[in-house]
Amino acid sequence: MPSMTRTPKRQVQPQDAPRIPQRGGGKLGYWLYFIPGAILVGVVIFYPIIRNLRLSFFHWRGGRAEEQFAGFENWTALFQDSEYLQSFMNIALVIVAMVIVPTLLGLVVAAALFDVVGRRFGGKLSSFLRATYYLPQILPIAVAGVMFSWILKPNSDGVLNQFLSFLTGDDVAVNWLGGQYSTAIISTMVLMIWIQIGYPVVIFMAALQRVEPELYEASELDGANWFQRFRAITLPMIRPEVFVVGLTTTIAALKVFAPVFILTRGGPSKSTYVPSFYAYQEFISGTDKGYAAAIASSITIVVFIVSVIFIKAQTRAERKDA
Amino acid sequence: MTTAPATLNGQGTKHRPAGTKHKKRGRTTSEWIVLVLMALGALLVVFPMLLLLINAFKSPADYANSNPLELPEALSFDGIQAFWSGHNFPRALWNSVFISGMVAILAVILSVLNSFAIGIGRVKGRTWLILVFLMANLVPQEMLFDPLFKLYDDLGLLSNPWSVIITFTVIQSAFGTYLLSSLLGTFPKEILEAAAVDGASRFRSLRSIIVPILKPTLSVLMVFFFIWTWNEFLLPLAFLNTDDSLTVPLVLEQLNGERQTDTTTLVAGTLISVIPTIIFFLIFQRTLTRGITAGAVK
């Protein structure tokens, strides 16, 4: 936010001048255009945020029950709640599945599609493949979840189990989603990777279009191999996009809900809980909505802090480049 | 034109990996290996959908006796019919179309109004204003869930599509406000000055100059808002509680939760639920890629 820094008094700040010449009303008139947006964002976003923050300091059974002031009780309880702590530990795995693996895979796939497939086999083929990788991104997540829960059905009638039985000759009946924590969380992670992979591929490929083809040709003539070109040209060129992908997917990972809801409902025995799902469960069937509000508020705070850190890091990196 | 709108409107034409110019050298073995790997990866990605396609047309008996990888013995439409009529799919389809369509239109209008004041009006504290609107995107939906549930209940809007429309109009317009504000910040001043000299009011400039010029970007946004809303799950699950008000993803999830559902009905239902998205994807494939790009390069 460089424009926020105080500048010595100037008569007209060209940066701040409205882009339409003024005739009366001045800049004040522009605030009129905010009225619908301000009302809606106030009611739909800020009212719930404030209400939940407040509620997190109360015990409340919901409905007509009375709210009882609780101070920090709900907040301190969070740190002794093993389900809550486990749900945040699971977020680390969700970040692996939604941020780290897709970004790394996405880098490789985008570079390969752009650099090799696009240049040697034609742009049509590479955009067709790009579209294929992107397809899961636009599927309703509920549909993807139901699809995977069908494939991962326990007993021998599950698609994956049948397939494994066919390969090994034995009767395989793994309860992928409900059996034990390790297979349940890994299955959920695979679904997340499958959903996410197309997003970095598309963004990185678009970023690569900024690279002058001559740059690659020159380095090729100099005898650089593919990996050297990838490191020296591709990676530095698309660093801003890596930032954007990192930020947006990390936030999505912190808020993740639907894959867990559809695949495992948090099971087996609450072990695949994520904070979002935990908050939802507590709001729906918990006995203390104040506690649910504390969980939801804690996620909001974490998301906010992560966003600020990322944006600061990005501005710093950009300033260094400039 | 300034740089930002150029990347939005005519992206990709300049540096497209030209096939003809670089083909002179023969393709090496390692290049073929890369191609095969990429194609295998793509196949892996669409594999679950191919499985759906194969199994949706099996009769329950056929499904029980065959391997999921085998083609159906005869085409059976039982599953599809059971889902279509038993779960009132046309109703859900209409609900989804109506909700997503309304959100797409309203959220674009709201984004234009907000970003007009920020990008053209250059109001004070605009960086903070963008952050305020972006909060709508950052905040986890469970944070909204309980207070909004109560609010819509009081207003009599529960199980009414407008509860979801209002909510997602605000959430989607956060991204629109962010994107359009930076675009309008570089909007060519000369055009606006010329209009002002001709006596156009602000609103007139917005309606007759800015919106038409932004039209390609606005249509990209509309497609995105439509798809994002179509795919939403948690808040519709909370707000839409009657059978008549369910959207496509909710109907499918309801079917999935029922104990005695035939697997073939479930598979067929999943396939049908995917079809509108796939059609949309095929129509707007280029718009979509352009849109994500626009978002990333701000």
Side-chain angles (χ1 to χ4, degrees), chain B residues 267-296:
Chain B
V267 176
T270 317
L271 183 71
I272 298 183
S273 308
V274 171
I275 287 173
T277 320
I278 305 243
I279 292 174
F280 208 76
F281 177 70
L282 292 176
I283 298 174
F284 289 105
Q285 209 248 99
R286 294 182 122 236
T287 325
L288 276 170
T289 12
R290 233 191 305 151
I292 334 163
T293 319

Side-chain angles (χ1 to χ4, degrees), chain A residues 1 4 15-16 19 22 26-27 52 120 133 138 143 150 162 194 209 217 255 265 276 289, chain B residues 11 15 22 25 27 31 38 45 63 68 120 122 126 128 137 142-143 187 202 231 253 277:
Chain A
M1 288 149 254
M4 303 291 294
Q15 251 236 340
D16 276 351
R19 303 184 74 82
Q22 299 307 296
K27 278 163 72 170
N52 266 326
R120 294 275 168 242
Y133 281 101
I138 59 150
V143 173
W150 164 62
Q162 284 204 23
W194 182 78
Q209 293 184 334
E217 276 155 30
K255 301 198 296 186
R265 304 265 157 145
S276 258
K289 293 211 179 197
Chain B
Q11 173 259 332
H15 301 308
H22 305 287
R25 179 164 73 69
R27 294 157 180 167
E31 280 163 1
M38 287 304 114
V45 169
Y63 180 84
I120 302 285
R122 311 244 120 196
R126 53 184 177 277
W128 294 108
N137 250 339
E142 318 77 60
M143 199 71 172
F187 198 86
R202 274 174 201 158
N231 294 350
E253 165 51 28
T277 320

Side-chain angles (χ1 to χ4, degrees), chain A residues 71-89:
Chain A
F72 279 95
E73 268 173 39
N74 289 327
W75 288 89
T76 49
L78 285 181
F79 294 96
Q80 284 138 36
D81 180 347
S82 59
E83 278 156 27
Y84 177 78
L85 297 175
Q86 163 97 53
S87 75
F88 257 101
M89 298 288 280

